[in-house]
Amino acid sequence: MAEIGIFVGTVYGNALLVAEEAEALLKEKGHQVKLFEEGTLEAWQYYRHHFVLLITSSTGQGDLPDSIVPLYTAIRDQVGYQPELRYGIIALGDSSYDFFCGGGHKIDDLLQEQGAMRMGDMLEIDAIEQPEPETVALPWVEKWATQLV
């Protein structure tokens, strides 16, 4: 089975809740999973040779949460080209703001620029329509996990 690093960016805890539910589901499927609330570049470097699942919310201005900014900055400034990376991304946001799921888009854009391969589409979860984001995320995670080979 696959080794998966789940890297989380959260403001109010919803992204962490989704990550914990995803971790449990993936472990149930037999995968080796480690969750990082404040991921380090060292952890990223290890999992970029396996699988990464990014789960992040956004600030009101569409920025990444403070908890994941240091990792984003390190990836941007120190990693560079990483075509071996295979990842999935779940973005939480609120469509009443101008930059809906902006944090997720920001990190996805960076990884795409660095040659990484996103597995599947980015899942965008709107807090207005889905007050319980894990109910939308878990079916997506289950489908995403079928691609881990």
Side-chain angles (χ1 to χ4, degrees):
M1 301 312 303
E3 287 187 61
I4 306 161
I6 301 177
F7 294 84
V8 182
T10 193
V11 177
Y12 297 114
N14 284 339
L16 180 58
L17 173 66
V18 170
E20 290 169 344
E21 295 280 337
E23 176 187 28
L25 175 68
L26 292 166
K27 283 182 174 178
E28 191 178 288
K29 299 281 183 196
H31 299 291
Q32 294 179 11
V33 185
K34 186 155 185 185
L35 190 149
F36 299 92
E37 288 185 53
E38 293 186 11
T40 63
L41 185 58
E42 180 182 0
W44 182 268
Q45 296 288 44
Y46 177 81
Y47 283 100
R48 78 182 240 203
H49 298 285
H50 298 282
F51 296 94
V52 167
L53 178 57
L54 290 147
I55 302 174
T56 188
S57 58
S58 299
T59 68
Q61 297 303 311
D63 291 325
L64 288 163
D66 290 344
S67 64
I68 201 166
V69 167
L71 178 61
Y72 172 86
T73 303
I75 293 167
R76 183 192 65 207
D77 296 346
Q78 299 173 42
V79 175
Y81 191 58
Q82 52 180 337
E84 71 285 352
L85 174 64
R86 293 173 290 170
Y87 73 98
I89 187 162
I90 298 173
L92 285 74
D94 182 326
S95 61
S96 68
Y97 288 91
D98 291 339
F99 302 103
F100 175 61
C101 290
H105 286 283
K106 185 174 185 175
I107 202 162
D108 185 48
D109 290 348
L110 172 65
L111 297 177
Q112 290 293 299
E113 287 172 18
Q114 293 180 332
M117 184 178 83
R118 187 180 63 237
M119 301 167 58
D121 293 329
M122 177 170 50
L123 175 62
E124 294 180 337
I125 301 174
D126 186 353
I128 289 177
E129 296 189 14
Q130 296 296 332
E132 297 177 357
E134 67 278 7
T135 60
V136 177
L138 288 180
W140 183 94
V141 171
E142 192 151 357
K143 182 179 176 188
W144 182 77
T146 64
Q147 304 173 64
L148 307 178
V149 199

